[in-house]
Amino acid sequence: MALRDPVDKNLIRMEVRRFTARCDAQIASIERADTLREVARLATSMPLPYAISAEYSARDALRMVQTRAEDRARELIQEQIQNFVRAEDNLREKQKRSMFDSWANLTGPLGPLRTWAQSKLAVAEQQIG
């Protein structure tokens, strides 16, 4: 009954546009983030309001935020691993501990990246030694 009311439809449409604009701003912030902690914080700080949870465009916008956060986290992890490979032998252990500490911030939707990062690190270690 409420969805057939044109005023309610317009309010929902306006809320969806507002939410997608917030998601676009969040994506821009994720692209500027330079630590995994910041990426993880930005990826999990966008709850989908219940009033617009049935709207496909709102869910797509939230999915784009999570996808971009995952891509940015992968980029940062690959940078860390490249730095690990380039490091001198006596500094590698310290960098490895630092990487494990930063990977601990991968929670929520970014949680599976932790095992992906560990497998990439194992491959890099095999190539080194």
Side-chain angles (χ1 to χ4, degrees), residues 49-99:
Y50 178 76
I52 60 173
S53 62
E55 299 295 322
Y56 289 116
S57 56
R59 286 188 280 177
D60 286 342
L62 188 59
R63 192 175 313 114
M64 289 298 294
V65 169
Q66 292 172 348
T67 302
R68 185 58 193 131
E70 184 176 331
D71 292 343
R72 182 65 181 144
R74 284 180 194 269
E75 292 169 8
L76 291 172
I77 290 168
Q78 288 175 340
E79 280 180 25
Q80 288 176 339
I81 291 174
Q82 286 175 355
N83 290 337
F84 174 78
V85 169
R86 291 183 194 136
E88 295 180 20
D89 291 337
N90 56 351
L91 296 176
R92 282 199 181 121
E93 198 60 37
K94 182 179 178 182
Q95 272 193 322
K96 188 175 179 179
R97 276 185 270 127
S98 173
M99 286 189 301

Side-chain angles (χ1 to χ4, degrees), residues 25-34 39 42-43 65 68-69 72:
Q26 196 80 349
I27 288 171
S29 296
I30 288 170
E31 289 172 353
R32 287 189 309 268
D34 58 350
V39 170
L42 291 168
V65 169
R68 185 58 193 131
R72 182 65 181 144

